[in-house]
C-alpha cells in the first residue's frame, strides 16, 4: 500500500507536517480518525505545490475542531452547512469537514448529505485523482486511501469520473474536468469524455451562481485559453449558452499577447467571449451567469468599443479623442477589444490608451488652479480636463504652458463676462 509520508515531508513545511502529525494524534485519541483529502493529496503525489490543506474526520468533527483549536493554538474561523469548518492555525487556515455521503434527488439538485466514512466521502467526489485521502493517525501516518484507482490515473495522466452518472448528478464537473485536464496536462479518459458529451444538456440545471463560479475558476487558471479551446471543442460553451464561442482568431490573439508577456486577467477572457457576441447574446450571457455589475460592465463596454470601430479607425482621431472614447470603459474591455480587433490603426490606439494615455494627467492640481484665481465650482474640473487634452495632444507640455493656458482661459472668461459699455 502506498504511503505518502515522504511526499508530505517534501511538499509541506516542517511546521505543517508537525501540525498534521499532532492533529492526527489528537484525533486518534478522541476516536475521530482524521485524513488529508482531495486536491492536496493529488498535488503531493504529483510533486506540485500544495495550496490548501483539506481535512476530513470520521465522527464528531465539531468537537474535534474545538479540541484542535485549544491544543494547537488554533481558532475556529467559520462554521458552515454540512459541518464544514475553517480552522485558523499558525500554519495557515485549514478546511475541516465531516466525512459524508451525498445522494442526488434529481440532476443538478443540491445533494442530500449524511455523515459517513472516509470511503463514502471519497465516493462522492468528482474524479479519481481527487478521490484520494491519506491517514493522519500516528499508526498509519501518510498511508494512502485510494478506492477508485486515483494513483493509477495520476500515473496515466487521466481525468476519470467515478461512475457513469457523475455529470448528471452535477454538471459543474464538466467544467472541472476541462480545468484539471488543461492545468495538469492530462487527458479526459475516453469513456468519461463520452459521458461528458452525452450529458452536456445537464448544464441547463446548474444555477447561474454555480456556473459563473466554475467559469471564473477556468478564467483564473494559468492558461484559460486552453480551457476555452477544449470546452469549445467538446461543445461545452454552446451547451452553456447557444452562440457562446471561442474562435481560432481569439486563440491566435491570446497567443500573441502571451508572447508579448501581456497580463491577461480573468475578466479579459470574459470580454473576449463578449467580443464575438451580439448585444442580445451578451445580455443573455449576463443573465445566465448572474454577472456582477463590474463583470457585466466589462461585457457591455467590450461591445461599445466594438461598435466604436469606425471612430477608432478614423484617420484624424487624436490622442485626446481616443481618450474621450475610452475613458469610461473598463480596462479589461479595452484589452479584450485590443486582442479581438484586427485593424492595425485601432489596435495601436487601443494599446497606447492602455499603456500611456489613460495614465496622463495634468501637472497642475485643482488646488493650484484655485490659487491661480479659478473660482471654486465646475470650472476647476473643466480646466483640468482641458489641461489633460493639452498634455495628450502635445506630449512634453511644461507647467508654464499649462499655467499660460489657464491664465488665457481666465482672461477670455473675464472679457466675456465684462459688462458692455453703454453707447
Ligand atoms: P484546486 O486545485 O483548483 O484548488 P481542488 O482540487 O482543491 O482544486 P476544490 O474545488 O477546492 O478542488 O474542491 C476540493 C475537493 O472537493 C476536490 O478535490 C474534489 O475532491 C471535491 N469537489 C469539489 N467540487 C466537487 C464537485 N462538484 N463534485 C464532486 N467533488 C467535488
Amino acid at each position: 500500500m502506498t504511503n505518502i509520508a515522504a511526499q508530505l515531508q517534501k511538499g509541506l513545511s516542517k511546521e505543517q507536517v508537525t501540525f498534521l502529525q499532532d492533529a492526527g494524534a489528537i484525533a486518534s485519541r478522541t476516536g475521530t480518525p482524521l485524513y488529508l483529502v482531495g486536491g492536496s493529496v493529488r498535488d503531493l503525489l504529483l510533486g506540485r505545490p500544495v495550496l490548501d490543506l483539506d481535512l476530513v474526520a470520521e465522527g464528531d468533527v465539531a468537537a474535534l475542531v474545538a479540541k484542535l483549536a485549544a491544543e494547537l493554538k488554533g481558532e475556529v474561523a467559520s462554521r458552515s452547512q454540512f459541518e464544514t469548518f475553517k480552522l485558523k492555525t499558525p500554519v495557515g487556515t485549514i478546511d475541516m469537514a465531516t466525512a459524508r455521503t451525498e445522494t442526488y434527488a434529481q440532476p443538478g439538485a443540491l445533494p442530500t448529505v449524511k455523515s459517513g466514512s472516509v470511503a463514502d466521502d471519497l465516493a462522492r467526489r468528482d474524479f479519481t485523482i481527487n478521490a484520494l485521502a491519506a491517514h493522519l493517525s500516528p499508526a498509519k501516518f501518510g498511508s494512502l486511501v485510494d478506492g477508485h484507482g486515483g494513483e493509477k490515473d495520476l500515473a496515466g495522466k487521466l481525468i476519470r469520473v467515478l461512475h457513469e452518472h457523475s455529470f448528471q448528478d452535477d454538471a459543474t464537473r464538466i467544467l472541472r474536468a476541462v480545468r484539471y485536464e488543461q492545468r495538469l496536462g492530462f487527458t479526459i479518459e475516453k469513456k468519461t469524455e463520452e459521458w461528458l458529451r452525452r450529458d452536456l444538456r445537464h448544464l441547463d440545471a446548474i444555477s447561474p451562481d454555480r456556473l459563473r463560479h466554475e467559469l471564473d475558476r477556468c478564467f483564473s487558471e494559468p492558461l484559460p485559453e486552453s480551457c476555452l479551446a477544449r470546452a469549445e471543442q467538446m461543445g461545452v460553451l454552446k451547451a452553456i449558452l447557444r452562440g457562446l464561442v471561442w474562435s481560432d482568431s481569439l486563440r491566435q490573439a491570446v497567443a500573441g499577447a502571451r508572447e508579448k508577456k501581456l497580463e491577461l486577467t480573468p475578466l479579459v477572457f470574459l470580454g473576449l467571449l463578449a467580443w464575438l457576441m451580439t448585444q442580445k447574446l451578451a445580455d443573455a450571457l449576463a443573465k445566465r451567469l448572474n454577472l456582477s455589475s463590474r463583470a457585466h460592465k466589462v461585457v457591455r463596454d467590450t461591445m461599445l468599443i466594438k461598435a466604436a470601430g469606425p471612430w477608432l479607425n478614423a484617420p484624424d482621431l487624436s490622442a485626446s479623442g481616443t481618450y474621450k472614447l475610452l475613458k469610461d470603459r473598463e480596462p479589461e474591455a479595452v484589452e479584450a477589444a485590443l486582442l479581438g480587433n484586427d485593424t492595425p490603426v485601432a489596435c495601436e490606439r487601443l494599446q497606447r490608451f492602455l499603456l500611456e494615455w489613460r495614465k496622463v494627467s495634468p501637472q497642475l492640481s485643482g488646488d493650484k488652479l484655485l490659487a491661480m484665481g479659478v473660482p471654486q465650482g465646475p470650472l476647476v474640473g473643466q480646466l483640468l480636463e482641458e489641461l489633460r487634452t493639452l498634455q495628450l495632444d502635445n506630449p512634453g507640455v511644461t507647467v508654464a504652458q499649462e499655467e499660460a493656458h489657464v491664465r488665457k482661459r481666465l482672461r477670455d472668461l473675464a472679457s466675456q463676462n465684462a459688462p458692455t459699455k453703454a453707447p
Side-chain angles (χ1 to χ4, degrees):
M1 196 200 286
T2 305
N3 187 299
I4 65 161
Q7 285 91 334
L8 283 163
Q9 301 285 354
K10 190 157 173 240
L12 302 183
S13 68
K14 226 163 102 193
E15 293 76 20
Q16 282 176 315
V17 176
T18 307
F19 176 89
L20 291 180
Q21 284 167 334
D22 292 348
I26 294 168
S28 275
R29 275 207 311 276
T30 57
T32 323
L34 187 65
Y35 304 83
L36 183 67
V37 289
S40 34
V41 179
R42 173 199 71 216
D43 288 336
L44 281 167
L45 280 162
L46 287 173
R48 292 174 61 93
V50 174
L51 302 177
D52 308 304
L53 294 179
D54 289 322
L55 305 186
V56 152
E58 289 172 328
D60 186 352
V61 78
L64 176 63
V65 168
K67 209 162 174 50
L68 294 184
E71 293 193 28
L72 301 177
K73 301 198 193 88
E75 189 192 322
V76 185
S78 75
R79 175 179 189 161
S80 54
Q81 342 165 252
F82 311 142
E83 292 296 82
T84 309
F85 297 82
K86 283 201 182 296
L87 182 64
K88 254 203 206 153
T89 77
V91 298
T93 301
I94 290 179
D95 286 314
M96 291 201 47
T98 312
R100 61 196 204 232
T101 60
E102 283 179 355
T103 44
Y104 293 83
Q106 79 241 15
L110 280 179
T112 310
V113 175
K114 277 200 249 143
S115 54
S117 65
V118 75
D120 295 328
D121 197 275
L122 297 181
R124 73 180 174 85
R125 292 185 182 248
D126 45 6
F127 309 112
T128 58
I129 59 164
N130 287 339
L132 292 166
H135 284 267
L136 296 181
S137 65
K140 292 186 182 173
F141 190 79
S143 137
L144 195 68
V145 184
D146 176 13
H148 305 273
E151 196 183 5
K152 191 160 149 262
D153 284 340
L154 281 176
K157 296 178 179 280
L158 289 174
I159 306 295
R160 186 197 305 269
V161 282
L162 271 52
H163 59 89
E164 180 176 349
H165 302 294
S166 185
F167 295 120
Q168 297 173 9
D169 285 346
D170 180 357
T172 62
R173 292 171 186 166
I174 291 174
L175 283 167
R176 295 177 64 83
V178 171
R179 189 158 61 81
Y180 288 122
E181 181 192 53
Q182 297 306 312
R183 182 203 297 172
L184 302 174
F186 281 25
T187 308
I188 297 175
E189 179 270 335
K190 206 161 145 271
K191 268 281 172 222
T192 297
E193 183 174 339
E194 209 177 294
W195 295 330
L196 183 155
R197 288 177 184 267
R198 182 196 65 190
D199 293 334
L200 284 172
R201 70 195 157 84
H202 290 280
L203 279 164
D204 286 347
I206 302 300
S207 71
D209 289 345
R210 291 191 71 216
L211 196 55
R212 186 195 58 248
H213 177 68
E214 283 302 336
L215 260 183
D216 274 349
R217 294 184 76 178
C218 288
F219 295 157
S220 305
E221 286 289 313
L223 294 175
E225 60 270 35
S226 316
C227 293
L228 285 164
R230 180 67 158 136
E232 168 72 38
Q233 186 241 344
M234 291 195 294
V236 177
L237 295 183
K238 69 170 184 281
I240 290 173
L241 185 71
R242 204 162 335 127
L244 187 64
V245 287
W246 180 253
S247 72
D248 206 44
S249 61
L250 289 180
R251 184 189 62 73
Q252 285 171 15
V254 170
R258 295 272 180 223
E259 268 175 34
K260 287 190 212 141
K261 308 251 181 289
L262 288 185
E263 196 202 348
L264 297 171
T265 56
L267 279 178
V268 173
F269 285 90
L270 184 67
L272 281 171
L273 287 171
W275 180 257
L276 298 176
M277 289 182 181
T278 59
Q279 185 64 52
K280 205 167 146 210
L281 196 61
D283 290 342
L285 181 72
K287 189 160 169 233
R288 180 64 186 103
L289 299 180
N290 189 23
L291 290 181
S292 68
S293 53
R294 192 161 116 68
H296 196 171
K297 186 162 184 311
V298 169
V299 170
R300 270 199 316 261
D301 284 356
T302 308
M303 321 248 359
L304 285 172
I305 301 172
K306 191 169 152 185
W311 288 275
L312 282 169
N313 277 305
D316 53 355
L317 185 71
S318 59
S320 64
T322 308
Y323 179 86
K324 280 179 194 125
L325 264 180
L326 300 175
K327 73 182 168 66
D328 295 327
R329 310 281 76 92
E330 297 290 333
E332 293 90 345
V334 181
E335 205 171 329
L338 168 64
L339 297 181
N341 214 302
D342 51 12
T343 52
V345 177
C347 281
E348 189 190 331
R349 287 176 175 149
L350 289 163
Q351 178 152 343
R352 291 196 70 185
F353 172 80
L354 272 177
L355 299 179
E356 308 164 37
W357 296 337
R358 76 182 162 122
K359 296 171 196 154
V360 168
S361 53
Q363 298 164 85
L364 295 182
S365 65
D367 283 346
K368 180 76 202 248
L369 296 194
L370 293 174
M372 286 177 73
V374 177
Q376 200 131 30
L379 185 59
V380 178
Q382 192 186 320
L383 284 176
L384 286 173
E385 270 317 306
E386 287 177 19
L387 293 179
R388 189 200 311 272
T389 300
L390 194 69
Q391 278 279 346
L392 282 163
D393 294 338
N394 309 277
V397 154
T398 61
V399 175
Q401 286 169 311
E402 288 194 358
E403 285 170 349
H405 176 88
V406 174
R407 277 196 295 270
K408 178 167 181 317
R409 290 282 281 115
L410 286 175
R411 274 199 310 275
D412 290 350
L413 285 168
S415 66
Q416 270 169 30
N417 295 337
T420 41
K421 272 197 191 133

